[in-house]
């Protein structure tokens, strides 16, 4: 038997995604953004030299697998110029070739789409073998513009739609991420139909919930009301998919990943379970200043907010700095070990008491601690909505189809 530290090391990586914060600055002021206003108004950027230094360390390490995706977001990436990404991508690819590494590297940019012009389209076409783009759009104008405004409070939908149309005109496929607000749950058909004209070019579609309205309250009737609204939204989308078929509906990743977990052999499907999704060193998120987080925690101390001092250092989930620490030092840090232990404690509690654990993709560890002050809590309002209501609705829909066949 190996030591506890050796066992922990076996659970690290391989690194499948590196999230880079090219800049924290954003030209929009979306009211559900997890980054602080100070962060989103800071125009500093990650120097290309920092990006290259990051990949010098990664490519020399044993943490990379056969494939890695480099993703720029957390801030608006397109406020930087196309030349910035050309230099970054060329530098990383040249470094890989110089070191003779046989690792497939791809890149993506997650943008609000308002700054897309022909110059960006030219870059995407030039690097189409390596580079993809994802657009954040919350559906039709009356939903999108409620929460996605400029710093002056002006609507942005027309600019995002123009950016999407310019991609289509240039024959460039793109992904879409949408945030569903509480009011948006009442308009599922209007929401999905907005994307119909773009369906030929939408590679993958994903929606998230904007449920901040009850995040600080554990009021059962509010949670039940929200759960019912979400179930209505999901069922309406499923029925619409049945009616319209693939020609009018983008591939909805929320649904496909759920069905994969039900029907695809475990050794062939991606790891969507709670433990796999937050496995340390599966994703490395790196801030402008080189600070590193892992698990699913995302970028910056901003996201931890009230939990900045959870581990006594005022740094939230940051486990090291890529510019001053080696990857080995970060991987073996006492703080990372403590986080791993806490998260596993959280997973075991759910695994032993929740019937939905096998269908849960996780991400609730910090939410449990934030709500109840401990990691071994089992159910939060977010679990009821995101996991249980989602699973129940999709299973009921599927069982109805099976009973009719």
């Amino acid at each position: 038997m190996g030591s506890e530290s050796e066992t922990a090391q076996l659970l690290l990586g391989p690194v499948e995604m590196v999230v880079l914060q090219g800049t924290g600055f954003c030209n929009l002021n979306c009211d559900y953004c997890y980054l602080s206003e100070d962060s989103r108004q800071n125009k500093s950027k990650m120097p290309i030299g920092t990006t290259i230094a990051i990949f010098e360390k990664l490519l020399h390490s044993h943490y990379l697998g056969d494939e890695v995706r480099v993703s720029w977001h957390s801030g608006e990436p397109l406020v930087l110029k196309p030349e910035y990404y050309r230099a970054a991508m060329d530098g990383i690819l040249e470094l890989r070739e110089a070191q003779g590494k046989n690792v497939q590297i791809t890149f993506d940019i997650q943008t609000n789409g308002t700054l897309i012009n022909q110059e960006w389209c030219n870059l995407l076409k030039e690097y189409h073998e390596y580079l993809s783009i994802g657009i954040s759009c919350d559906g039709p104008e009356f939903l999108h513009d409620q929460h996605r405004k400029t710093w002056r409070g002006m609507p942005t939908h027309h600019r995002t739609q123009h950016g999407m149309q310019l991609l289509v005109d240039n024959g460039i496929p793109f992904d879409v991420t949408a945030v569903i607000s509480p009011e948006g749950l009442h308009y599922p058909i209007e929401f999905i139909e907005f994307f119909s004209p773009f369906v030929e070019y939408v590679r993958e579609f994903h929606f998230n919930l904007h449920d901040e309205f009850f995040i600080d309250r554990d009021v059962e009737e509010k949670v039940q009301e929200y759960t019912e609204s979400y179930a209505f939204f999901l069922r309406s989308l499923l029925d619409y998919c049945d009616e319209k078929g693939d020609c009018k509906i983008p591939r909805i990743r929320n649904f496909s990943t759920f069905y994969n977990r039900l029907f695809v052999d475990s050794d062939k499907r991606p790891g969507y379970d709670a433990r796999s999704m937050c496995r340390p060193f599966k994703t490395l998120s790196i801030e402008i200043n080189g600070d590193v987080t892992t698990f699913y925690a995302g970028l910056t101390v901003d996201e931890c907010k009230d939990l900045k001092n959870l581990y006594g250092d005022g740094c939230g989930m940051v486990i090291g700095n890529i510019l001053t620490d080696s990857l080995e030092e970060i991987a073996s840090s006492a703080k990372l070990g403590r986080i791993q232990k806490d998260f596993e404690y959280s997973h075991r509690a759910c695994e032993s008491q929740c019937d939905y654990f096998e269908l849960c993709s996780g991400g609730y560890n910090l939410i449990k601690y934030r709500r109840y002050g401990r990691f071994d809590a089992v159910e939060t309002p977010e679990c009821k909505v995101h996991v249980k209501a989602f699973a129940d609705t999709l299973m009921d829909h599927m069982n109805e189809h099976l009973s009719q066949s």
Side-chain angles (χ1 to χ4, degrees):
M1 292 288 290
S3 68
E4 184 176 342
S5 61
E6 289 172 337
T7 302
Q9 289 293 322
L10 295 175
L11 300 177
L12 295 178
V15 177
E16 297 176 3
M17 176 183 288
V18 178
V19 181
L20 298 178
Q21 187 183 39
T23 178
F25 180 75
C26 188
N27 60 324
L28 303 190
N29 185 27
C30 303
D31 62 14
Y32 51 66
C33 185
Y34 65 84
L35 296 177
S36 68
E37 289 193 8
D38 287 344
S39 173
R40 288 181 283 123
Q41 291 182 319
N42 186 337
K43 294 186 178 181
S44 61
K45 65 181 180 181
M46 180 181 288
I48 295 298
T50 297
T51 304
I52 300 305
I54 290 167
F55 278 87
E56 283 179 337
K57 289 190 175 183
L58 277 171
L59 288 166
H60 272 112
S61 78
H62 61 274
Y63 295 110
L64 281 184
D66 296 329
E67 301 178 10
V68 63
R69 180 154 59 104
V70 182
S71 180
W72 282 282
H73 78 96
S74 191
E76 171 46 50
L78 299 197
V79 301
L80 304 178
K81 301 298 182 184
E83 289 76 15
Y84 176 88
Y85 296 99
R86 183 177 283 107
M89 290 187 290
D90 287 349
I92 292 170
L93 294 174
E94 288 169 5
L95 193 63
R96 178 191 63 180
E97 298 306 313
Q99 295 188 11
K101 295 292 185 178
N102 186 26
V103 53
Q104 180 180 341
I105 302 177
T106 55
F107 306 91
D108 71 73
I109 295 173
Q110 184 64 37
T111 171
N112 59 46
T114 61
L115 301 177
I116 293 175
N117 56 24
Q118 190 57 47
E119 189 177 8
W120 284 108
C121 291
N122 293 343
L123 179 78
L124 288 160
K125 289 192 287 188
E126 179 183 351
Y127 286 83
H128 69 277
E129 293 182 55
Y130 309 104
L131 177 63
S132 62
I133 192 166
I135 308 296
S136 297
C137 178
D138 293 352
E141 182 177 2
F142 77 97
L143 295 177
H144 179 102
D145 282 341
Q146 288 193 50
H147 301 283
R148 299 184 65 82
K149 301 184 188 315
T150 68
W151 287 96
R152 295 183 178 182
M154 302 300 293
T156 64
H157 185 270
H158 62 292
R159 293 167 60 188
T160 298
Q161 185 170 357
H162 178 266
M164 293 166 64
Q165 187 59 52
L166 194 56
L167 294 175
V168 169
D169 293 343
N170 279 268
I172 298 170
F174 55 95
D175 300 325
V176 172
T177 296
V179 176
I180 313 301
S181 59
E183 58 269 18
L185 293 176
H186 302 295
Y187 299 97
I189 306 307
E190 293 88 342
F191 166 76
I192 199 64
E193 284 189 338
F194 167 76
F195 297 101
S196 293
F198 305 102
V199 68
E200 183 180 349
Y201 289 90
V202 176
R203 300 184 315 169
E204 193 168 68
F205 183 91
H206 180 75
F207 58 82
N208 297 313
L209 289 180
H210 173 207
D211 46 19
E212 289 292 319
F213 86 107
F214 73 76
I215 199 77
D216 294 323
R217 291 173 289 174
D218 194 3
V219 181
E220 184 60 36
E221 58 267 26
K222 277 286 188 181
V223 177
Q224 183 59 33
E225 178 184 333
Y226 191 56
T227 300
E228 292 172 359
S229 295
Y230 187 39
F232 164 78
F233 176 86
L234 292 170
R235 184 58 194 250
S236 299
L237 284 188
L238 291 166
D239 290 342
Y240 188 81
C241 291
D242 290 342
E243 177 186 350
K244 298 295 183 179
D246 293 341
C247 62
K248 290 289 185 181
I249 305 295
R251 180 179 180 270
I252 300 176
R253 192 174 74 201
N254 308 67
F255 296 161
S256 63
T257 54
F258 182 82
Y259 296 136
N260 279 342
R261 294 186 64 185
L262 290 179
F263 300 116
V264 176
D265 292 341
S266 59
D267 60 336
K268 296 179 181 178
R269 65 178 181 239
Y272 294 127
D273 60 282
R275 286 189 175 90
S276 295
M277 290 297 285
C278 73
R279 186 175 70 245
F281 272 50
K282 178 176 182 177
T283 297
L284 292 179
S285 297
I286 305 174
E287 289 185 60
I288 294 170
N289 67 354
D291 281 350
V292 178
T293 56
T294 188
F295 302 104
Y296 56 79
L299 289 168
T300 80
V301 178
D302 277 350
E303 188 168 4
C304 286
K305 299 177 182 176
D306 54 316
L307 299 182
K308 288 181 181 179
N309 205 39
L310 178 60
Y311 291 98
D313 59 2
C315 295
M317 303 296 287
V318 173
I319 55 173
N321 188 288
I322 195 73
L323 300 179
T324 59
D325 305 321
S326 70
L327 285 169
E328 288 71 23
E329 289 172 330
I330 295 172
S332 61
S333 70
K335 182 176 179 179
L336 177 57
R338 289 177 63 193
I339 300 172
Q340 277 187 276
K341 184 177 179 180
D342 286 340
F343 278 24
E344 179 57 24
Y345 189 44
S346 171
H347 294 148
R348 287 181 181 177
C350 293
E351 187 174 33
S352 65
Q353 300 180 57
C354 181
D355 293 337
Y356 291 75
F357 182 74
E358 294 300 323
L359 298 176
C360 177
S361 60
Y364 302 100
N365 310 48
L366 292 179
I367 291 174
K368 290 197 289 184
Y369 190 89
R370 180 174 281 119
R371 280 192 173 275
Y372 306 121
R374 63 186 213 270
F375 284 103
D376 63 343
V378 176
E379 183 182 83
T380 69
E382 290 81 2
C383 299
K384 292 181 180 178
V385 176
H386 293 254
V387 180
K388 296 187 175 184
F390 184 87
D392 288 344
T393 304
L394 266 66
M395 292 294 289
D396 287 347
H397 174 261
M398 189 167 51
N399 287 332
E400 288 176 19
H401 275 261
L402 291 174
S403 65
Q404 295 169 6
S405 61

